[in-house]
């Protein structure tokens, strides 16, 4: 039956009265106007804009309160302002982290994470840095919260360093990089409802999206970038002094789950997902979800001046050039030139744009950017954040823009190399002879120099990076350069070039991130060069259930490449690879502790047979293959469930359906009523006219009405949480995390969820373990997901970067002695 005939049927009189078109028309008008836009409220604005504030209301802090950091380096007044921005400026994101605590599927709550009773083991358990000058507090504040107190204080008090205005920067929280703000929404009604005991202990209470906390917690860049100073390590990493901290080394110790998923239980799949990341690695696309779990190291910031010398032409789109980039470089031909930023080289629009974007990525102007994707879970296509919109509607963005040049100048001054020889007690670890170092330099020149030196011959870009070691003239130049006494001075130890993933062969997860591709969330923050990159070529991946290999073609348009990682301070920044998979975290930031990790990591890098996957060299094919397909795949460590609390389900469906959700969620009875009325009309007309097909259509419409009603009530959380599971212990985490639902029809997703649930229930019902469990998982759902659904089907995390693996053992040892001096 066609829609037109059904409408005509609905217009006909019946024996028991009339069901006229006007009735249905009224229903439809109510649905599509009453549930639609209630007049345009205009584009999203941040809180400062809504409150009528201007850039002048957020002055830059000028006091040099962090002067003991970064080795006590002397900064001028502008550079001091840059460091203060890095250390304390949140860009208004305290509103975002409060919002995320309410609607983030019960994953994170920074107020709970700041529980002072955890201070004594924060570094060991979470990897976060306790702020000097604070101590544990076992007495709750007036709201019953346990927050760190200043040393010498009788109890908790809001505190900020002199010269750091709390109205602009918030108060010190006791954790470096997290700032406390009094919550403007904590009014009399909120205070009446507040119960700290329930907040700490009752999930139903602290997961309530309507719960108003006494404080908001904002995040500065320093939370992810300040770490123990390699040259001046703390005696007690739980109680560092400012002199023991570097603002540029990167937070190599951060444990994602306890720090950012502190409310999760181990049987929650989100817990398993966050735990999969190695210490010091964070999936920065977790919030702007891209259906691709790809934790990446907290990049140290090194030798910015030397890095800028590597800038290459990167044409920018019109949406990007609205940035008034005072730092933008141009070559002799007037072309925009920039170094490549981020692990995949995506953030290539200049230092100014790269630094400004960092603040957006941690929640600045979230009022706009949460409209471009669905938080954490994804489930709908992304749209780009527009720089122009931020300039017009976010005071915080415009404040940040003003602060970027001083921030860049600070990095140019402070982000220097940290050689082992300059570390406190470092010299005793430099035992190699001059002859060994010379031999190590020779090996470096012909094996590593082509990618890992910013000092290069003028024509080096005319030779592909992987072909330079075979060019005799190039290698001769490299030998002369590396033997110079000043070779390591102002050397970024990288060319910042993009290398195809098929060449570097490391795990493809980070290289396949696509948030910066055309039309996606960070579209405005990547160059046209990046967005027009050809495919990085096919890569080989392994099926862990069958042991078979298959080819995966990396997409064009940006993904498929890795930027060359600098080797500056490699002795202090191991584990290695973009995901920290080579070397074992030991929790010891001392010089000896760092060197222990370096030794293991370099050995695994140069001897792949020592890696967890126990690689075997196949000489006939000139490649390394894993012999243990289970050892380096991130897996769940217990039975778990993908659980989305009932109260968050409306947000999930809104992310999937967009404007359609305005019809289903506020008035769950409207669509079922329309379907029921249409069905009744069709059934009655069909019976009267003796048309069986029409009667069946009416019955089907009635059944559909019931299904839609119950489905909508489920989405509204009336029937409890959404749970997929039980996911068996040992399931590859990325088998689920890398499913990209935004690119699939809803029906396909529902069928996949159904198949997964049936498989999981069978494993549970039959009590399958070991090989039997793996076989069923692989046969019924694993291989299908791996070959057809995953954005990155590359599950093995410790592979790749086999350059240098065919050196002799002596050459490897000599190279290692030279690398230790960096």
């Amino acid at each position: 039956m066609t829609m037109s005939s059904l409408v005509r049927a609905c217009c006909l009189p019946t024996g028991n009265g009339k069901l006229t078109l006007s009735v249905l028309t009224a229903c439809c008008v109510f649905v599509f106007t009453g549930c639609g836009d209630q007049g345009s409220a205009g584009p999203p604005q941040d809180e400062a804009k809504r409150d009528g504030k201007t850039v002048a209301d957020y002055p830059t802090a000028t006091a040099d309160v962090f002067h003991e950091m970064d080795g006590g380096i002397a900064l001028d007044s502008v550079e001091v302002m840059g460091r203060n921005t890095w250390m304390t400026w949140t860009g208004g994101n305290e509103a975002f982290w409060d919002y995320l605590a309410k609607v983030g599927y019960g994953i994170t709550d920074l107020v709970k994470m700041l529980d002072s009773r955890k201070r004594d083991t924060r570094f060991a358990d979470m990897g976060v840095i306790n702020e000097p000058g604070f101590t544990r507090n076992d007495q709750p504040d007036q709201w019953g919260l346990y927050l760190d107190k200043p040393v010498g204080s009788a109890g908790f008090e809001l505190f900020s360093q002199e010269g750091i205005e709390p109205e602009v920067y918030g108060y010190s929280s006791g954790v470096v990089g997290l700032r406390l703000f009094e919550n403007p929404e904590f009014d009399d009604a909120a205070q009446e409802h507040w119960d700290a005991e329930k907040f700490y202990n009752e999930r139903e209470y602290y997961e309530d999206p309507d719960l108003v906390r006494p404080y908001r917690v904002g995040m500065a860049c320093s939370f992810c970038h300040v770490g123990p100073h390699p040259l001046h390590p703390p005696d007690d990493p739980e109680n560092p002094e400012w002199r023991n901290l570097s603002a540029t080394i990167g937070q190599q110790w951060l444990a994602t789950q306890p720090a950012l998923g502190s409310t999760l239980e181990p049987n929650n799949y989100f817990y398993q997902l966050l735990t999969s990341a190695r210490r010091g690695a964070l999936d920065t696309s977790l919030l702007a979800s891209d259906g691709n779990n790809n934790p990446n190291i907290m990049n140290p910031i090194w030798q910015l001046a030397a890095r800028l010398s590597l800038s290459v032409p990167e044409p920018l789109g019109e949406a990007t050039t609205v940035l008034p980039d005072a730092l933008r470089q141009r070559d002799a031909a007037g072309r925009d030139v920039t170094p490549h930023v981020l692990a995949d080289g995506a953030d290539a629009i200049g230092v100014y744009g790269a630094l400004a974007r960092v603040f957006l990525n941690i929640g600045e102007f979230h009022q706009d950017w949460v409209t471009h994707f669905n938080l954490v879970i994804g489930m709908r296509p992304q749209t780009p954040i527009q720089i122009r919109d931020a300039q017009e509607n976010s005071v915080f963005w415009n404040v940040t823009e003003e602060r970027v040049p001083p921030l860049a100048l600070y990095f140019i001054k402070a982000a220097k190399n940290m050689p082992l020889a300059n570390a406190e007690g470092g010299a005793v670890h430099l035992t190699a002879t001059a002859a060994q170092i010379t031999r190590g330099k020779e090996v470096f020149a012909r094996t590593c120099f082509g990618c890992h030196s910013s000092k290069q011959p003028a024509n080096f870009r005319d030779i592909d990076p992987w072909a330079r070691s075979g060019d005799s003239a190039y290698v001769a130049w490299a030998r002369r350069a590396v033997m110079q006494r000043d070779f390591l001075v102002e050397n970024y130890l990288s060319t910042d070039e993009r290398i195809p993933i098929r060449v570097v062969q490391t795990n493809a997860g980070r290289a396949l991130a696509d948030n910066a591709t055309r039309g996606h969330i960070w579209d405005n923050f990547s160059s046209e060069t990046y967005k027009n990159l050809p495919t990085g070529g096919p890569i080989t991946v392994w099926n862990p259930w069958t042991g078979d290999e298959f080819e995966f073609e990396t997409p064009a348009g940006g993904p498929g490449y890795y930027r060359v990682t600098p080797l500056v301070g490699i002795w202090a920044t191991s584990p290695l690879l973009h995901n920290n998979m080579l070397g074992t975290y030991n929790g010891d930031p001392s010089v000896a502790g760092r060197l222990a990790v370096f030794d293991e990591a370099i050995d695994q890098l140069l001897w792949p047979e020592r890696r967890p996957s126990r690689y075997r060299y196949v000489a006939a094919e000139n490649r390394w293959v894993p012999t243990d397909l289970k050892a380096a795949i991130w897996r769940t460590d217990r039975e778990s469930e993908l659980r989305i609390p009932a109260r968050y389900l409306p947000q999930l469906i809104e992310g999937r359906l967009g404007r359609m959700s305005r019809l289903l969620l506020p008035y769950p009875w409207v669509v079922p009523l329309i379907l029921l009325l249409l069905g009744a009309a069709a059934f009655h007309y069909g019976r009267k006219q003796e048309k069986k097909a029409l009667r069946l259509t009416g019955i089907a419409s009635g059944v559909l009405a019931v299904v839609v009603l119950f489905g909508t009530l489920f989405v509204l959380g009336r029937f409890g949480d959404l749970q997929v599971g039980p996911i068996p212990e040992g399931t590859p985490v990325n088998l689920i995390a890398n499913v990209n639902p935004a690119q699939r029809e809803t029906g396909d997703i529902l069928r996949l969820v159904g198949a997964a649930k049936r498989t999981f229930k069978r494993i549970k019902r039959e009590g399958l373990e070991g090989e039997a469990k793996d076989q069923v998982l692989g046969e019924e759902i694993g291989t299908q997901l791996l070959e057809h659904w995953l954005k990155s089907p590359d599950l093995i995390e410790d592979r790749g970067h086999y350059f240098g693996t065919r050196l002799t053992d002596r050459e490897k040892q000599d190279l290692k002695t030279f690398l230790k001096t960096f």
Side-chain angles (χ1 to χ4, degrees):
M1 182 180 188
T2 66
M3 179 59 70
S4 60
S5 61
L6 181 57
V7 170
R8 284 195 297 272
C10 294
C11 298
L12 297 176
T14 71
N16 297 320
K18 286 187 177 181
L19 178 63
T20 65
L21 180 61
S22 60
V23 175
L24 292 176
T25 301
C27 292
C28 292
V29 168
F30 175 76
V31 169
F32 292 107
T33 61
C35 300
D37 292 327
Q38 300 296 321
S40 175
Q45 297 179 334
D46 67 16
E47 287 185 337
K49 181 82 170 180
R50 292 202 306 265
D51 292 344
K53 295 185 177 181
T54 68
V55 171
D57 292 307
Y58 298 91
T60 303
T62 58
D64 192 7
V65 297
F66 304 107
H67 61 274
E68 295 180 35
M69 294 186 71
D70 303 315
I73 190 171
L75 303 178
D76 65 25
S77 59
V78 175
E79 294 158 351
V80 165
M81 290 190 291
R83 179 162 61 188
N84 287 342
T85 293
W86 192 245
M87 293 295 298
T88 61
W89 174 242
T90 67
N93 70 25
E94 61 275 7
F96 165 71
W97 290 98
D98 183 62
Y99 169 84
L100 186 62
K102 295 178 178 180
V103 301
Y105 307 105
I107 292 176
T108 191
D109 190 328
L110 294 183
V111 176
K112 286 176 70 72
M113 192 273 273
L114 288 174
D115 188 340
S116 188
R117 294 168 292 184
K118 302 176 181 178
R119 181 180 173 95
D120 294 343
T121 59
R122 271 196 196 130
F123 181 80
D125 296 341
M126 304 182 194
V128 301
I129 306 299
N130 280 328
E131 184 169 351
F134 282 76
T135 188
R136 173 178 169 141
N137 185 10
D138 289 318
Q139 298 299 317
D141 73 350
Q142 61 177 321
W143 306 117
L145 294 173
Y146 293 86
L147 298 168
D148 291 359
K149 64 180 181 179
V151 172
S153 172
F156 172 76
E157 60 184 72
L158 291 171
F159 174 84
S160 193
Q161 296 97 327
E162 185 176 353
I164 305 295
E165 294 295 329
E167 292 79 12
V168 178
Y169 301 97
Y171 299 89
S172 297
S173 70
V175 170
V176 172
L178 296 183
R179 311 291 298 177
L180 275 176
F181 294 80
E182 295 180 277
N183 193 338
E185 297 177 352
F186 196 61
D187 55 18
D188 290 344
Q191 293 175 30
E192 181 68 24
H193 178 64
W194 176 253
D195 187 318
E197 186 68 22
K198 291 182 178 180
F199 174 71
Y200 281 122
N201 298 302
E202 295 186 17
R203 179 174 295 277
E204 187 71 18
Y205 181 83
Y206 64 71
E207 282 188 352
D208 183 354
D210 295 323
L211 179 65
V212 179
R213 293 151 177 79
Y215 307 103
R216 291 173 170 178
V217 181
M219 182 181 292
C221 296
S222 50
F223 179 72
C224 288
H225 289 275
V226 169
H229 201 298
L231 305 186
H232 313 288
D235 293 331
D236 177 7
E238 301 290 357
N239 293 286
E241 299 177 4
W242 286 115
R243 69 174 296 273
N244 301 131
L245 301 177
S246 163
T248 62
I249 190 63
Q251 227 306 23
Q252 302 161 260
W253 318 97
L254 188 71
T256 304
Q257 182 279 312
L260 298 177
S262 57
T263 67
L264 296 171
E265 299 295 334
N267 63 353
N268 188 317
Y269 170 75
F270 285 124
Y271 177 102
Q272 300 293 326
L273 172 64
L274 296 183
T275 304
S276 69
R278 297 293 291 267
R279 288 275 191 148
L282 175 68
D283 180 3
T284 55
S285 65
L286 177 65
L287 296 181
S289 180
D290 61 350
N292 180 20
N293 182 36
N294 58 95
N296 188 71
I297 60 171
M298 309 291 189
N299 289 318
I301 301 169
W302 300 116
Q303 307 285 31
L304 183 56
R307 187 176 194 181
L308 292 175
S309 70
L310 298 169
S311 299
V312 293
E314 294 272 339
L316 306 179
E318 181 180 354
T320 303
T321 55
V322 301
L323 277 171
D325 189 350
L327 304 175
R328 185 171 292 148
Q329 298 175 287
R330 290 184 171 86
D331 62 11
R335 299 175 298 179
D336 294 321
V337 296
T338 176
H340 298 151
V341 186
L342 298 184
D344 56 352
D347 205 350
I349 64 169
V351 172
Y352 189 102
L355 290 175
R357 190 196 66 84
V358 169
F359 292 88
L360 276 180
N361 199 50
I362 56 175
E364 182 181 77
F365 194 27
H366 84 278
Q367 295 84 357
D368 175 69
W369 62 258
V370 296
T371 68
H372 295 281
F373 57 89
N374 195 34
L375 279 170
V376 183
I377 202 71
M379 293 291 290
R380 69 178 171 98
Q382 298 178 359
T383 56
I385 291 174
Q386 299 293 335
I387 293 173
R388 191 182 303 277
D389 289 344
Q391 292 171 328
E392 292 177 357
N393 298 302
S394 173
V395 173
F396 290 121
W397 166 269
N398 290 315
V399 173
T400 297
E401 274 201 18
E402 286 197 354
R403 295 175 181 219
V404 165
L407 185 54
L409 291 173
Y410 159 63
F411 288 139
I412 289 174
K413 173 67 74 67
K416 301 298 183 181
N417 65 337
M418 300 180 185
L420 177 57
N422 293 352
E424 296 174 6
V428 300
H429 299 281
L430 294 171
T431 58
T433 66
Q436 285 178 302
I437 295 294
T438 298
R439 293 197 303 268
K441 289 181 177 182
E442 166 69 22
V443 176
F444 183 89
R446 56 187 169 84
T447 307
C448 313
F449 188 95
C451 288
H452 289 290
S453 174
S454 61
K455 296 182 178 181
Q456 293 282 344
N459 67 338
F460 81 101
R461 294 190 189 277
D462 295 336
I463 311 171
D464 285 337
W466 48 92
R468 290 170 191 159
S469 61
D471 186 297
S472 58
Y474 179 87
V475 173
W477 194 98
R479 284 195 181 102
R480 292 192 297 271
V482 78
M483 295 299 175
Q484 298 298 313
R485 293 175 61 88
D486 65 349
F487 172 67
L488 295 177
V489 176
E490 295 297 326
N491 193 332
Y492 179 56
L493 293 174
S494 167
T495 60
D496 253 350
E497 293 170 292
R498 299 184 183 104
I499 309 297
I501 186 64
R502 71 176 187 277
V503 174
V504 70
Q505 298 184 59
T506 47
N507 178 271
R510 185 65 181 86
L512 294 176
D514 61 6
N515 280 349
T517 57
R518 196 177 305 281
H520 286 218
I521 186 80
W522 301 124
D523 169 294
N524 283 199
F525 295 87
S526 64
S527 68
E528 289 299 298
T529 302
Y530 172 80
K531 288 193 278 277
N532 290 314
L533 285 172
T535 174
I539 60 172
T540 299
V541 295
W542 281 264
N543 183 322
W545 298 283
T546 65
D548 296 334
E549 301 177 4
F550 65 95
E551 296 266 291
F552 175 79
E553 184 70 32
T554 59
Y561 298 80
Y562 278 118
R563 175 183 59 82
V564 177
T565 301
L567 299 185
V568 184
I570 188 174
W571 71 272
T573 56
S574 298
L576 299 177
L577 300 186
H578 73 275
N579 52 14
N580 273 349
M581 278 299 293
L582 300 189
T584 304
Y585 170 83
N586 63 9
D588 182 1
S590 69
V591 171
R594 290 177 185 269
L595 285 172
V597 182
F598 166 81
D599 285 337
E600 181 186 20
I602 291 295
D603 287 352
Q604 290 183 351
L605 184 76
L606 296 177
W607 285 274
E609 60 271 25
R610 301 182 186 180
R611 300 182 190 182
S613 293
R614 306 298 177 191
Y615 288 82
R616 174 176 59 88
Y617 183 66
V618 181
E621 301 173 9
N622 189 29
R623 67 186 186 116
W624 292 88
V625 296
T627 61
D628 185 344
L629 294 181
K630 297 181 179 180
I633 292 178
W634 294 332
R635 297 176 183 272
T636 59
D637 67 3
R638 68 194 67 198
E639 187 177 274
S640 59
E641 289 186 323
L642 176 57
R643 171 182 172 267
I644 299 178
R647 65 191 68 222
Y648 298 122
L649 291 177
Q651 178 200 357
L652 173 63
I653 197 65
E654 183 178 5
R656 184 66 189 176
L657 298 182
R659 293 171 64 89
M660 181 71 71
S661 63
R662 300 178 185 177
L663 169 65
L664 294 176
L665 301 184
Y667 309 99
W669 50 269
V670 172
V671 172
L673 177 60
I674 292 174
L675 290 170
L676 192 61
L677 291 174
L678 289 172
F683 181 82
H684 181 82
Y685 180 68
R687 187 175 62 177
K688 184 176 181 180
Q689 300 295 322
E690 297 183 353
K691 293 184 177 181
K692 183 178 180 180
L694 198 54
R695 293 199 306 273
L696 293 176
T697 299
I699 294 172
S701 182
V703 172
L704 182 60
V706 174
V707 171
V708 170
L709 177 61
F710 277 85
T712 306
L713 291 176
F714 172 77
V715 166
L716 288 172
R718 301 292 194 270
F719 301 138
D721 301 344
L722 171 63
Q723 294 176 298
V724 178
I727 300 169
E729 176 186 352
T731 299
V733 168
N734 288 348
L735 189 67
I736 298 171
N738 289 356
V739 171
N740 187 19
Q743 304 300 320
R744 297 284 185 158
E745 296 296 329
T746 301
D748 292 336
I749 296 171
L750 293 176
R751 283 188 288 275
L752 176 67
V753 170
K757 293 184 72 170
R758 287 192 298 273
T759 301
F760 298 155
K761 287 181 178 179
R762 178 188 169 186
I763 291 173
K764 177 75 170 180
R765 183 178 63 253
E766 297 180 12
L768 300 179
E769 297 289 344
E771 293 297 328
K773 177 179 66 177
D774 283 348
Q775 182 178 355
V776 169
L777 182 64
E779 289 179 352
E780 296 196 2
I781 193 69
T783 297
Q784 176 189 351
L785 285 169
L786 193 70
E787 296 182 356
H788 303 292
W789 278 83
L790 302 192
K791 179 173 285 188
S792 174
D794 191 1
L795 301 181
I796 298 176
E797 299 288 340
D798 67 346
R799 70 190 194 91
H801 199 287
Y802 302 120
F803 316 109
T805 59
R806 304 310 300 155
L807 296 170
T808 66
D809 285 354
R810 175 177 168 175
E811 288 173 323
K812 292 177 182 179
Q813 292 293 352
D814 290 340
L815 176 60
K816 182 177 174 180
T817 63
F818 182 48
L819 295 175
K820 187 182 290 189
T821 68
F822 287 6

